[in-house]
Amino acid sequence: MKTVLLFEFTVDKGSNTVNVRREFAANLNLVWDAWTTPELLDQWWAPKPYRTETKSMDFREGGSWLYAMISPANEKHWCKNDYHKIDGHKSFTALDAFCDENGVANQDMPRTVWTNVFSATGDKTLVTITAKYDSLADLEKIIEMGFKEGFTMALGNLDELLLTLSNNQDEE
């Protein structure tokens, strides 16, 4: 029997935000680890057929995650996430940017302030995501680039990874 998981994706042009509420069929510790551990992020963050490769990650306030999304033709699209506030196993906020391989932000591209809030809901975990942009033009550019489709695919990758990780935990 397949479980139906909550998934809401809304765009609020009045506040330049994308709001996502997404439920996962795994406990909070496992979901938190999947969002904050480079070895796990590399397995789900990029929409297929892309893949993610972490160059460096320092998950702490003031730290950052520098990674590339790599196309099937081996083109690398670099991004950097600067962690601003972390409340362990509850939430974190970060400023994301398109950048070069050294982490220098591309000033021509929108930047995203991510706020991710994690809460246990029985044997599942709800992640409430707010992606905020400086302007409506930035929000619209990200949407035009396929953010909804790409992020939806990535979250589906996370479902698959969590199922595998949960099964491995059950066998231990």
Side-chain angles (χ1 to χ4, degrees), residues 19-172:
N19 302 292
V20 178
R21 289 175 22 107
R22 181 63 154 78
E23 194 172 49
F24 297 95
N27 68 52
L28 190 145
N29 287 339
L30 197 55
V31 174
W32 176 264
D33 287 350
W35 284 79
T36 61
T37 307
E39 295 80 12
L40 297 178
L41 280 163
D42 284 354
Q43 296 180 56
W44 71 269
W45 185 251
K48 293 175 184 170
Y50 283 73
R51 63 185 172 87
T52 303
E53 187 175 285
T54 295
K55 181 174 182 181
S56 63
M57 185 175 191
D58 182 9
F59 186 70
R60 64 175 175 83
E61 293 181 3
S64 65
W65 176 35
L66 178 60
Y67 63 96
M69 288 196 186
I70 304 170
S71 76
N74 214 30
E75 297 170 296
K76 293 185 177 182
H77 304 275
W78 290 95
C79 295
K80 183 179 179 188
N81 223 357
D82 294 320
Y83 297 109
H84 289 180
K85 184 170 173 46
I86 299 171
D87 187 0
H89 294 85
K90 292 181 181 172
S91 67
F92 69 88
T93 301
L95 177 62
D96 192 71
F98 292 95
C99 65
D100 66 16
E101 67 184 84
N102 297 310
V104 177
N106 180 340
Q107 301 300 323
D108 295 330
M109 294 297 290
R111 299 191 76 176
T112 308
V113 176
W114 292 86
T115 301
N116 303 323
V117 178
F118 299 76
S119 55
T121 58
D123 59 349
K124 299 175 189 153
T125 300
L126 177 66
V127 183
T128 303
I129 302 156
T130 304
K132 183 163 181 53
Y133 299 88
D134 283 342
S135 68
L136 179 58
D138 286 353
L139 170 66
E140 290 178 336
K141 185 170 187 171
I142 290 295
I143 296 298
E144 287 172 14
M145 291 172 62
F147 175 74
K148 181 177 182 180
E149 296 79 9
F151 196 50
T152 299
M153 289 174 66
L155 296 175
N157 296 342
L158 179 53
D159 283 330
E160 294 173 13
L161 176 63
L162 291 170
L163 180 62
T164 300
L165 295 172
S166 294
N167 288 338
N168 290 344
Q169 281 185 340
D170 291 344
E171 293 173 6
E172 293 177 358

